[in-house]
Amino acid sequence: LMIVALILFISTFSIRSLLGMNPGPEFMPQVASVLLFIVSAGIAIEGYGHSKYYTEEEVDDEEKKYRSAGRRKVLYSVILIGFYVFAFDFLGFVISTIIYEFCQMIILTPVGQKKNYLLFAAVSIISTVFFYIVFNYVLYLMLPVGLLRFIGL
């Protein structure tokens, strides 16, 4: 994840500003990539700290099951991000982000915890609409409309 954050940060330097705005359109992606790097580093440090306390013989079957579930969640998340990237232009920001957030919440729900689909749908829709409004009407950054262009959005 730290590598992805680093690649994202480097790629922001290729973003061109047409109006010479300060801060320019690269500002928020740079901030997000730095925050992603910091959070990823924290997770890595915490994971390394926990790994000192366990040897493979000390890990019981229950812990192995949770580790396996964690690895599957990472794999599913990577596949979901791939879907999001490829569907973004065709489906547009609103539809692809709602689907992505909803599915990501399902994936990240802890094993054994009941999934609240109605809450997931509400959070996905509300947060996506909020970000769409902020990007379009506050930051004046147009996001791909995708399939919603047929209803005039």
Side-chain angles (χ1 to χ4, degrees):
L1 205 48
M2 291 185 336
I3 293 170
V4 170
L6 192 59
I7 292 169
L8 177 63
F9 184 77
I10 292 169
S11 69
T12 62
F13 292 105
S14 66
I15 299 173
R16 302 278 182 238
S17 177
L18 299 176
L19 303 175
M21 298 171 20
N22 198 7
E26 73 281 352
F27 177 72
M28 284 308 293
Q30 287 174 345
V31 170
S33 62
V34 168
L35 291 175
L36 179 62
F37 186 86
I38 292 169
V39 170
S40 301
I43 291 170
I45 291 168
E46 182 182 353
Y48 179 74
H50 289 298
S51 70
K52 291 180 183 178
Y53 300 112
Y54 297 106
T55 62
E56 197 59 39
E57 295 82 31
E58 294 174 337
V59 178
D60 60 357
D61 289 337
E62 189 71 21
E63 180 68 23
K64 287 181 182 177
K65 184 169 55 171
Y66 280 114
R67 285 185 183 181
S68 176
R71 288 185 186 108
R72 279 195 309 273
K73 288 182 180 198
V74 169
L75 176 65
Y76 296 154
S77 294
V78 169
I79 292 169
L80 188 59
I81 290 170
F83 162 78
Y84 182 68
V85 168
F86 289 112
F88 194 77
D89 284 331
F90 174 70
L91 294 177
F93 172 78
V94 173
I95 295 173
S96 61
T97 303
I98 289 172
I99 293 169
Y100 170 78
E101 287 182 5
F102 181 78
C103 294
Q104 192 66 60
M105 285 186 241
I106 291 171
I107 291 170
L108 294 178
T109 302
V111 175
Q113 184 175 334
K114 185 177 182 257
K115 293 173 174 60
N116 189 341
Y117 297 108
L118 186 60
L119 176 66
F120 295 167
V123 169
S124 299
I125 292 168
I126 291 169
S127 65
T128 300
V129 169
F130 172 77
F131 286 120
Y132 184 80
I133 290 170
V134 167
F135 274 88
N136 275 351
Y137 301 109
V138 177
L139 301 175
Y140 301 108
L141 297 173
M142 298 304 294
L143 296 169
V145 179
L147 295 177
L148 293 181
R149 79 171 83 62
F150 297 117
I151 62 169
L153 190 66

